[in-house]
Amino acid sequence: MTPGLTVGQALVQATRRLAAAGVEGASRDARWLLAWALGTPPERLTLALPEPMTSDTAARFDIAIARRVTHEPVSHITGRRLFWGREFAVDRDVLDPRPETEVLVELALAEPFERVLDLGTGTGCILVTLLAERPEAIGTGTDISAAARSHAWGNAVRHRVSDRVEILASDWFRPLDDRGIAGRFDLVVSNPPYIAAAEMAGLSRDVREHEPRLALTDEGDGLSAYRAIAAGVEKVLAPGGRVLVEIGPAQARAVAAMFRQAGLDDVAVHPDLDGRDRVVSGRG
Ligand code: GLN
């Protein structure tokens, strides 16, 4: 980056670099990274535009932009991502929390619950949010990835719910079913890997090259996690307890059919804010 620039000039230069690298939303990302480099809230950035860049800020910003040019997600560069108004620590070992997943959180919070199980908790964004919003509830998060489990724990500590949470290693319900958890949960949630192996090549470079493959795809038809959840969820649900899973927009019929076949009641499909099918729910 050219020395002696104002903040505004640095922003213009960085936006051009990102756009030239084919980064979608170049101007939004440049603003976000500049605010982060300055240590200023993004909404206050405009006030700083006429000021000179200090050499420290310029160096921080330059490195951030160089990383974004390689399509590394903004959240990996800043190390955090906002979800339901809280900051979660993220990196390449965990799925970046998505705004669509807030629909699942909203549905979960629409009814009371005391014990929640989050299958494939990743950053812990769903579980930690639910526990932070319901101070009386306790929760279990599972993940097959050790790195994810340590992220979830760290995020639980950060948001002061760690005294009400346990994080376990498991592959869906294995070996959970041996731990005496039958009938224990009045809420089971999951945002499992649902991209089909054949669809992986069509994902954006940001996602495909920088997010953990294990969190994105089942290496099959994208439905195997739902098969496992449908097969095991009745056993861990308390009578009348709810299950809510996030889905890909084309998976509603298949997942709803699996839930009905598994004997769940009140199976329903819920849209996200863009009107796409996003969550399937059922009752034990
Ligand atoms: N539960 C986490 C989330 O919703 C992780 C999901 C995943 O890794 N597939 O972001």
Side-chain angles (χ1 to χ4, degrees), residues 95-98 101 118 120-126 143 191-193 215-216:
L95 192 82
D96 205 342
R98 306 286 205 271
T101 305
D118 180 16
T121 195
T123 51
C125 65
I126 301 175
D143 211 290
N191 175 23
L216 293 165

Side-chain angles (χ1 to χ4, degrees), residues 175-189:
L176 273 192
D177 5 19
D178 306 329
R179 294 180 59 116
I181 61 164
R184 220 173 79 173
F185 297 98
D186 51 4
L187 178 63
V188 176
V189 292

Side-chain angles (χ1 to χ4, degrees), residues 198-247:
E199 288 166 356
M200 286 297 287
L203 294 182
S204 76
R205 212 178 130 190
D206 303 26
V207 176
R208 200 179 61 238
E209 291 180 9
H210 295 279
E211 294 203 66
R213 198 175 162 97
L214 186 68
L216 293 165
T217 179
D218 61 353
E219 305 294 349
D221 63 357
L223 292 168
S224 50
Y226 304 112
R227 289 188 192 98
I229 293 170
V233 74
E234 280 269 35
K235 208 167 147 190
V236 300
L237 274 177
R242 291 200 303 156
V243 52
L244 296 163
V245 293
E246 182 171 326
I247 55 159

Side-chain angles (χ1 to χ4, degrees), residues 116-211:
V116 52
L117 171 64
D118 180 16
L119 296 163
T121 195
T123 51
C125 65
I126 301 175
L127 182 67
V128 169
T129 301
L130 293 178
L131 293 179
E133 296 292 327
R134 288 288 178 273
E136 307 299 316
I138 58 172
T140 301
T142 72
D143 211 290
I144 196 170
S145 150
R149 293 195 299 275
S150 103
H151 271 77
W153 180 252
N155 282 317
V157 171
R158 180 181 192 132
H159 295 299
R160 300 198 171 81
V161 300
S162 54
D163 55 333
R164 293 183 283 128
V165 85
E166 62 175 348
I167 304 289
L168 304 176
S170 89
D171 182 6
W172 307 121
F173 293 104
R174 282 190 313 257
L176 273 192
D177 5 19
D178 306 329
R179 294 180 59 116
I181 61 164
R184 220 173 79 173
F185 297 98
D186 51 4
L187 178 63
V188 176
V189 292
S190 184
N191 175 23
Y194 55 70
I195 314 282
E199 288 166 356
M200 286 297 287
L203 294 182
S204 76
R205 212 178 130 190
D206 303 26
V207 176
R208 200 179 61 238
E209 291 180 9
H210 295 279
E211 294 203 66

